[in-house]
């Protein structure tokens, strides 16, 4: 009887040893799948925010020419907004290049562009003017705005519903463009890194121009 028990124990141990590699392999496969799918899920989640169709709140800031510019100056105009900072080494150059393309495409249309800096302490009007010049920005069509940091962050987070902050010496912010209709209402949001989103933005601008 004891021999039978010992045999069963030995067979069980052999079975455990033989299945262990398959269990480990299964866990590895699951881990790899999760690792690969998680960025896709997060990106998809980032690209499909809850859109809040609200009016842009009033603001008063200073453009790259050192002149005051506020919401009243943009009333009745179609404009595209984003939040950047001039010494950004990552997404900002890409965003600004996308704005350059839009400016070139709509240079003969009443479409305007507004880039708010999330680092106003460093991005003075003079710095913004040099930055605008580097990208060939038309100062009559494209405004780079600076001012009080608290006002800009409140405008980004509460007004445009876009993330912007100062953290760990950096300035994390949204990569989205915002299209604002002539009545000051936010028309929609567009991921500047997405070709389909930018195509949709161009289509929406043309639709607003026909109204």
């Amino acid at each position: 009887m004891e021999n039978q028990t010992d045999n069963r124990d030995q067979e069980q141990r052999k079975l455990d040893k033989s299945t262990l590699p398959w269990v480990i392999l299964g866990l590895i496969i699951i881990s790899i799948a999760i690792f690969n799918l998680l960025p896709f899920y997060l990106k998809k989640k980032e690209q499909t925010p809850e859109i809040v169709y609200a009016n842009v709140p009033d603001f008063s800031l200073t453009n790259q020419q050192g002149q005051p510019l506020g919401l009243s100056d943009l009333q009745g105009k179609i404009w595209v907004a984003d939040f950047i900072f001039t010494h950004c080494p990552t997404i900002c150059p890409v965003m600004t290049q996308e704005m350059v393309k839009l400016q070139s495409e709509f240079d003969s249309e009443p479409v305007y562009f507004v880039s708010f800096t999330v680092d106003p302490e460093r991005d003075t009007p003079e710095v913004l003017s040099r930055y605008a010049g580097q990208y060939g920005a038309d100062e009559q069509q494209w405004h780079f705005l600076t001012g009080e940091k608290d006002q800009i962050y409140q405008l980004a987070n509460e007004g445009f519903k876009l993330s912007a902050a100062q953290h760990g010496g950096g300035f994390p912010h949204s990569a989205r463009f915002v299209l604002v209709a002539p009545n000051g209402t936010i028309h929609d949001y567009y991921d500047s890194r997405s070709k389909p989103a930018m195509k949709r933005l161009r289509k929406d601008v043309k639709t607003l121009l026909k109204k």
Side-chain angles (χ1 to χ4, degrees), residues 8 15 48 55 70 101 103 130 144 151 161 164 173:
R8 283 197 298 269
L15 182 61
T48 55
N55 288 332
K101 295 176 184 177
Q103 177 190 245
R130 289 196 297 270
F144 292 79
Q151 181 184 173
K161 311 301 181 183
H173 60 88

Side-chain angles (χ1 to χ4, degrees), residues 84 86 88 92-101 103 129-138 142 144:
I84 61 167
T86 61
C88 169
C92 297
V94 176
M95 296 173 66
T96 304
Q97 286 288 3
E98 288 298 327
M99 281 288 205
V100 169
K101 295 176 184 177
Q103 177 190 245
S129 180
R130 289 196 297 270
Y131 186 80
Q134 291 172 5
Y135 286 93
D138 181 347
W142 191 350
F144 292 79

Side-chain angles (χ1 to χ4, degrees), residues 13 26 34 41 52 54 66 69 75 77 80 99 105 114 122-124 133 136 144 151 157-158 178 181-182 192 196:
R13 284 194 293 271
I34 292 174
Y41 169 78
V52 180
L69 190 138
Q75 286 293 338
K77 298 177 180 178
V80 181
M99 281 288 205
E105 184 170 338
V114 181
R122 186 180 306 192
D123 289 341
T124 62
F144 292 79
Q151 181 184 173
N157 291 292
E158 299 179 17
V178 183
S192 62

Side-chain angles (χ1 to χ4, degrees), residues 56-75:
V56 175
D58 194 16
F59 62 86
S60 180
L61 297 167
T62 304
N63 69 11
Q64 71 268 35
Q65 298 170 312
Q67 299 174 346
L69 190 138
L71 182 62
S72 60
D73 299 298
L74 297 166
Q75 286 293 338

Side-chain angles (χ1 to χ4, degrees), residues 19-34:
T19 57
L20 182 60
W22 293 104
V23 173
I24 294 174
L25 179 61
L27 292 174
I28 292 174
I29 292 174
I30 293 172
S31 299
I32 293 174
I34 292 174

Side-chain angles (χ1 to χ4, degrees), residues 177-190:
F177 287 172
V178 183
L179 176 59
V180 183
N183 62 0
T185 300
I186 292 175
H187 182 80
D188 212 340
Y189 296 83
Y190 312 83

